[in-house]
């Protein structure tokens, strides 16, 4: 790999503003006074650091296989065409790097803390491996959906973590409706194709079901007349749906969903998934045309092989300053879903990751030396049919119904990253309201 490594090093890391030297190990060494801060990932935590870090103090380099920031709270809305995909993403390069080569469209595959070196793999050219040195490192690579080792989940289920996942779900939904109306499609085939199973009753699973409900009520009857009554949605949860919400709000959500004729909540455990069915532990087999899996998080392969102390769930453990507890130097930090604070476990939410990123940027900017603290602002969820939940603090901000839906939309609209998205999203909502959802594949 000496030739390709040297080639990638030369093309990807040479700067025009300072003189660089390349040592015998094909590792780029930069000669300037600023420390080199490498950020892994472009999720809520990493992107928050990138936006708030003082670039006069650091040479900031971002390494991520995703070249955009994704506004995940509205991801479910793209699965049925309520919002367009590009309305909820912000290109990472819009943050304006000092040098155009400071964003690496790559994945970190290996870390050597002693030599302060990362081995990276290009996302554009996967055969290319190269090394990247750092002075300070922030690990914010997030997590992947947890399959719990259940057979068939990886092969036959759809996850809902990335924009590509939403696109794949949207295509499958539309394909199943088109197959259901093609010649030779009998009632049994239609029942199987139009049965959607959601595994996991957290906010993602419930909000995806809410978007499906709106799609069925507002568009299926108009576009696929006669099929709207054949569609069925089953939400499978081993415990209670929306378990992190207030009990009163959770009960409201359960009643709201169960009142819908074509929706069902099943308290059960999945033991197997096939191409056209879901098998439950009690022996029940549910024929279906789509399985969306949303049952918690699992560490990425990169995090699994890191030589640091972790908790029982595989999170990297940090101290109250978000530094990795057992790193030999205090130059490696971990934030977001891939990490947890020792003695202060926090939920794996966008709110936590964003606040960690903002605090860490202030800490690195030498604007604070206090420990990181977290105050939960609350949670929001959409239930469909212009109804939602707001579990905010203090207690009198716990709303249900239309008022909660209005607050849900208002809150997320104001949290979008830039004014371009804040204009695009309302336009998409208006187009959907006036003309219906786009069902193009």
């Amino acid at each position: 790999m000496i030739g390709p490594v040297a080639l990638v090093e030369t093309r990807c890391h040479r700067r025009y503003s300072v003189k660089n030297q390349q040592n015998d190990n094909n590792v780029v060494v930069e000669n300037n006074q600023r420390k080199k801060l490498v950020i892994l990932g472009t999720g809520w935590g990493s992107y928050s650091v990138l936006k708030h870090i003082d670039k006069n103090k650091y040479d900031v380099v971002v390494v991520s296989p995703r070249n955009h920031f994704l506004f995940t709270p509205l991801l479910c809305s793209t699965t049925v065409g309520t919002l367009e995909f590009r309305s909820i993403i912000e290109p990472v390069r819009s943050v304006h790097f000092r040098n155009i080569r400071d964003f690496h469209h790559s994945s970190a595959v290996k870390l050597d803390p002693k030599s302060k070196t990362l081995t990276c793999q290009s996302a554009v050219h996967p055969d290319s491996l190269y090394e990247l040195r750092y002075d300070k490192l922030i690990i914010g690579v997030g997590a992947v959906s947890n399959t719990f080792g259940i057979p068939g989940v990886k092969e036959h289920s759809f996850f809902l973590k990335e924009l590509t996942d939403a696109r794949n779900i949207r295509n499958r939904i539309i394909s199943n409706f088109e197959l259901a109306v093609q010649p030779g499609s009998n009632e049994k085939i239609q029942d199987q194709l139009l049965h959607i199973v959601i595994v996991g009753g957290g906010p993602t699973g419930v909000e995806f079901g809410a978007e499906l409900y709106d799609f069925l009520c507002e568009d299926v009857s108009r576009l696929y007349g006669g099929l709207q009554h054949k569609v069925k949605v089953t939400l499978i949860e081993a415990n209670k749906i929306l378990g992190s919400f207030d009990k009163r709000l959770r009960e409201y959500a359960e009643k709201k969903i169960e009142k819908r004729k074509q929706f069902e909540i099943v308290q059960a455990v999945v033991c197997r998934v096939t191409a056209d069915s879901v098998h439950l532990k009690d022996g029940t087999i549910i024929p279906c045309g789509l399985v969306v899996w949303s049952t918690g998080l699992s560490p990425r392969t990169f995090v699994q092989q890191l030589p640091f102390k972790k908790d029982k769930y595989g999170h990297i453990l940090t101290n109250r300053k978000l530094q990795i507890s057992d790193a030999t130097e205090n130059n490696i930090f971990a934030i977001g879903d891939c990490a947890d604070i020792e003695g202060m476990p926090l939920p794996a939410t966008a709110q936590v990751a964003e606040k960690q990123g903002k605090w860490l940027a202030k800490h690195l900017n030498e604007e604070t030396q206090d420990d990181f603290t977290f105050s939960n602002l609350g949670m929001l969820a959409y239930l469909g049919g212009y109804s939602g939940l707001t579990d905010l603090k203090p207690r009198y901000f716990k709303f249900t119904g239309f008022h909660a839906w209005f607050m849900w939309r208002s809150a997320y609209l104001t949290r979008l990253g830039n004014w371009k998205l804040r204009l695009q999203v309302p336009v998409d909502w208006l187009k959907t309201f006036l003309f219906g959802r786009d069902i193009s594949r």
Side-chain angles (χ1 to χ4, degrees):
M1 290 296 294
I2 296 298
V5 169
L7 178 63
V8 173
E9 292 277 347
T10 303
R11 289 181 176 175
C12 295
H13 303 293
R14 180 177 294 143
R15 292 174 178 269
Y16 299 106
S17 58
V18 296
K19 290 184 178 181
N20 297 328
Q21 294 179 343
Q22 204 169 25
N23 64 17
D24 294 336
N25 295 322
N26 293 306
V27 179
V28 174
V29 180
E30 299 181 3
N31 295 326
N32 59 50
Q33 298 301 313
R34 290 184 295 269
K35 289 187 176 180
K36 186 172 184 178
L37 173 67
V38 175
I39 303 172
L40 303 185
T42 51
W44 283 90
S46 298
Y47 196 60
S48 184
V49 175
L50 180 61
K51 289 195 297 183
H52 294 96
I53 196 71
D54 186 349
K55 295 183 179 66
N56 292 319
K57 294 182 177 179
Y58 297 94
D59 280 328
V60 182
V61 175
V62 175
V63 178
S64 176
R66 189 177 76 185
N67 69 349
H68 59 267
F69 165 72
L70 173 64
F71 192 79
T72 51
L74 293 177
L75 183 61
C76 292
S77 296
T78 65
T79 58
V80 294
T82 306
L83 295 177
E84 289 306 317
F85 299 111
R86 293 194 177 276
S87 297
I88 61 168
I89 60 174
E90 184 176 355
V92 175
R93 290 189 180 275
S94 64
V95 179
H96 303 301
F97 291 89
R98 176 179 286 106
N99 189 294
I100 60 172
R101 287 161 167 63
D102 285 344
F103 174 73
H104 293 221
H105 196 22
S106 305
S107 299
V109 294
K110 188 178 179 182
L111 171 64
D112 185 352
K114 291 183 180 179
S115 63
K116 299 181 182 178
T117 304
L118 276 168
T119 301
C120 301
Q121 180 181 35
S122 171
V124 183
H125 195 281
D127 292 334
S128 297
L129 294 174
Y130 61 94
E131 291 184 332
L132 180 66
R133 284 244 178 113
Y134 64 85
D135 294 308
K136 292 183 183 292
L137 175 66
I138 299 174
I139 302 174
V141 296
V144 295
S145 296
N146 195 342
T147 66
F148 300 98
I150 296 172
V153 173
K154 285 184 179 180
E155 296 81 2
H156 305 299
S157 297
F158 290 77
F159 304 109
L160 192 45
K161 292 280 293 175
E162 300 289 342
L163 207 63
T164 51
D165 298 330
R167 190 185 299 275
N168 291 336
I169 290 171
R170 185 165 164 177
N171 285 339
R172 172 60 71 89
I173 291 171
I174 296 167
S175 296
N176 285 356
F177 273 98
E178 294 299 334
L179 284 170
V181 297
Q182 285 190 349
S185 178
N186 57 38
E187 190 168 334
K188 183 179 178 181
I189 293 174
Q190 288 179 343
D191 289 341
Q192 180 259 317
L193 288 171
L194 302 180
H195 191 170
I196 300 169
V197 174
I198 305 168
V199 183
T204 299
V206 170
E207 290 191 347
F208 173 62
E211 294 292 343
L212 280 174
Y213 177 74
D214 289 347
F215 177 57
L216 297 179
C217 293
E218 299 169 10
D219 296 275
V220 172
S221 58
R222 175 175 57 89
L223 300 169
Y224 298 98
L227 289 184
Q228 67 269 29
H229 301 300
K230 291 184 176 292
V231 179
K232 186 176 180 181
V233 179
T234 299
L235 176 59
I236 301 174
E237 169 57 49
N239 299 302
K240 294 286 186 180
I241 68 168
L242 299 174
S244 56
F245 278 70
D246 178 84
K247 182 181 178 182
R248 181 179 64 86
L249 301 181
R250 185 171 66 243
E251 290 174 350
Y252 173 87
E254 289 176 355
K255 290 178 182 177
K256 194 77 175 176
I257 295 172
E258 288 172 345
K259 282 182 180 178
R260 296 166 181 169
K261 293 181 180 179
Q262 294 158 267
F263 281 68
E264 182 183 13
I265 299 175
V266 175
Q267 190 170 351
V269 175
V270 175
C271 64
R272 186 183 171 203
V273 178
T274 67
D276 56 5
S277 64
V278 171
H279 296 237
L280 304 183
K281 200 171 182 179
D282 63 6
T284 304
I285 299 176
I286 304 175
C288 58
L290 169 65
V291 179
V292 175
W293 193 270
S294 178
T295 61
L297 302 175
S298 178
R300 293 185 182 275
T301 303
F302 172 72
V303 172
Q304 290 176 3
Q305 51 90 29
L306 290 176
F308 303 128
K309 185 179 178 182
K310 304 182 182 75
D311 65 13
K312 63 180 181 179
Y313 303 108
H315 300 121
I316 304 168
L317 287 173
T318 72
N319 60 24
R320 300 294 176 98
K321 286 186 167 55
L322 307 182
Q323 297 162 329
I324 293 180
S325 303
D326 58 343
T328 53
E329 298 184 41
N330 294 326
N331 65 335
I332 306 179
F333 304 82
I335 57 177
D337 294 349
C338 68
D340 215 345
I341 300 172
E342 197 163 11
M344 192 176 84
L346 296 171
T349 63
Q351 183 185 161
V352 170
E354 183 182 36
K355 288 192 173 186
Q356 286 180 333
K358 190 173 182 178
W359 180 91
L360 184 53
K362 288 180 64 178
H363 176 70
L364 293 172
N365 293 341
E366 299 179 347
E367 297 171 8
T368 181
Q369 291 302 316
D370 298 333
D371 290 347
F372 172 76
T373 58
F374 175 71
S375 177
N376 192 352
L377 297 177
M379 298 169 290
L380 305 169
Y382 180 49
L383 301 178
Y386 302 100
S387 181
L389 304 176
T390 58
D391 192 354
L392 306 179
K393 296 180 180 179
R395 187 173 179 81
Y396 49 78
F397 279 111
K398 298 182 186 293
F399 299 142
T400 59
F402 178 82
H403 295 92
W405 166 83
F406 183 79
M407 188 175 291
W408 174 82
R409 280 207 167 178
S410 302
Y412 286 157
L413 185 60
T414 58
R415 297 300 298 163
L416 285 165
N418 58 41
W419 282 104
K420 177 186 174 184
L421 301 186
R422 291 173 196 169
L423 291 173
Q424 282 183 221
V425 166
V427 169
D428 284 353
W429 281 336
L430 181 61
K431 286 193 301 183
T432 296
F433 179 76
L434 295 176
F435 308 111
R437 291 162 178 78
D438 182 3
I439 61 164
S440 303
R441 289 186 74 237

